[in-house]
């Protein structure tokens, strides 16, 4: 039994070390096979143990996870979270380029079966608060939230993908891919290191 469990843990760790769960597209995050979820195989692991370990990992990583946590006991976990100023984007400011930091609000969902963890593609919003400024003859602008869209909506100039799929802001694209893949990798790794005494 110990040998089988050791092999299962080694296989999972090998899978995690190369983990690129999702990539960002104009339609949102997709897995390597272009679906809206990724599956992590954990041979010989029971559903309830996978659920418990991922839940413990999330509880240890977030400062107040219960605030955004939604669970179906033994079957699924969803965490809704907010991170302030974690996505730097280099934008033109009229005089050159400056870095603006965007907040991320997101939802991660995990579903469990014996030997498998399904991770649904992250649902997110990147935005920043812009304080009022004086614009000369046109007067003061009001405070507002500016959101980074995936594709162009109306006259917005703040979007990530052109109509042909070309990326407009490489730093934002890479930042979002790295942020969510790293976060998911940390949750998966931490769930394997839970001390079940």
């Amino acid at each position: 039994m110990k040998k089988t469990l050791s092999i299962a843990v080694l296989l999972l760790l090998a899978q995690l070390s190369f983990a690129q769960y999702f990539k960002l597209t104009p339609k949102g995050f997709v897995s390597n096979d272009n679906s809206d979820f990724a599956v992590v195989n954990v041979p010989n692991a029971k559903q309830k143990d996978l659920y418990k370990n991922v839940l413990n990992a999330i509880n240890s990583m977030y400062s107040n996870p219960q605030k955004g946590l939604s669970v179906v006991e033994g079957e699924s976990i969803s965490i809704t979270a907010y991170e302030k100023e974690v996505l730097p984007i280099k934008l033109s400011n009229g005089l050159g380029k400056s870095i603006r930091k965007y907040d991320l609000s997101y939802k991660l969902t995990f579903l469990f079966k014996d030997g498998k963890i399904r991770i649904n593609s992250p649902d997110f919003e990147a935005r920043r608060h812009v304080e009022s400024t004086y614009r000369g003859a046109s007067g003061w602008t009001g405070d507002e939230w500016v959101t980074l869209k995936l594709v162009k909506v109306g006259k917005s100039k703040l979007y990530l993908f052109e109509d042909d799929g070309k990326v407009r802001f490489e730093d934002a694209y890479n930042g979002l891919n790295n942020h969510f893949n790293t976060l998911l990798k940390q949750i998966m790794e931490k769930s394997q290191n839970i001390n079940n005494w």
Side-chain angles (χ1 to χ4, degrees):
M1 177 68 180
K2 270 189 171 183
K3 186 176 181 178
T4 305
L5 186 58
S6 296
I7 291 171
V9 169
L10 285 173
L11 286 171
L12 179 62
L13 289 176
Q15 185 177 357
L16 289 175
S17 63
F18 302 109
Q20 171 83 17
Y21 299 101
F22 297 98
K23 65 181 175 201
L24 193 56
T25 71
K27 295 179 182 178
F29 280 105
V30 297
S31 65
N32 292 331
D33 63 357
N34 288 322
S35 62
D36 63 351
F37 64 91
V39 176
V40 176
N41 292 308
V42 190
N44 303 317
K46 296 288 183 197
Q47 177 178 348
K48 66 179 178 138
D49 294 330
L50 294 172
Y51 167 85
K52 184 174 74 173
N53 284 2
V54 170
L55 184 60
N56 287 338
I58 288 170
N59 280 322
S60 71
M61 289 175 62
Y62 288 88
S63 59
N64 190 5
Q66 280 67 36
K67 188 175 179 182
L69 199 62
S70 174
V71 300
V72 174
E73 186 71 34
E75 294 180 21
S76 70
I77 301 169
S78 291
I79 180 85
T80 303
Y82 180 81
E83 294 182 51
K84 194 169 181 155
E85 297 183 347
V86 294
L87 181 65
I89 304 175
K90 195 179 287 188
L91 299 170
S92 177
N93 63 7
L95 302 171
K97 292 200 173 196
S98 61
I99 294 179
R100 304 281 191 236
K101 292 189 176 181
Y102 282 71
D103 301 349
L104 281 178
S105 53
Y106 58 88
K107 181 178 180 179
L108 302 174
T109 302
F110 304 85
L111 299 131
F112 305 91
K113 286 185 177 180
D114 285 347
K116 294 182 182 198
I117 302 171
R118 172 180 162 153
I119 307 169
N120 288 349
S121 61
D123 184 22
F124 75 96
E125 180 180 67
R127 65 185 193 151
R128 73 180 177 92
H129 187 258
V130 179
E131 294 182 7
S132 62
T133 57
Y134 185 68
R135 304 264 181 186
S138 50
W140 286 90
T141 62
D143 286 3
E144 64 179 331
W145 283 95
V146 178
T147 303
L148 174 67
K149 302 287 185 189
L150 285 177
V151 294
K152 187 173 185 175
V153 177
K155 294 181 181 182
S156 172
K157 293 182 181 178
L158 192 60
Y159 56 94
L160 200 50
F161 292 98
E162 299 285 1
D163 291 338
D164 62 1
K166 184 178 177 188
V167 175
R168 294 189 70 218
F169 302 107
E170 283 289 331
D171 51 351
Y173 174 78
N174 292 331
L176 287 164
N177 279 310
N178 291 338
H179 184 81
F180 286 107
N181 283 301
T182 300
L183 179 59
L184 291 169
K185 182 179 177 188
Q186 287 173 343
I187 292 170
M188 291 294 99
E189 284 178 348
K190 195 170 262 301
S191 74
Q192 295 309 303
N193 295 325
I194 300 296
N195 185 1
N196 291 322
W197 54 277

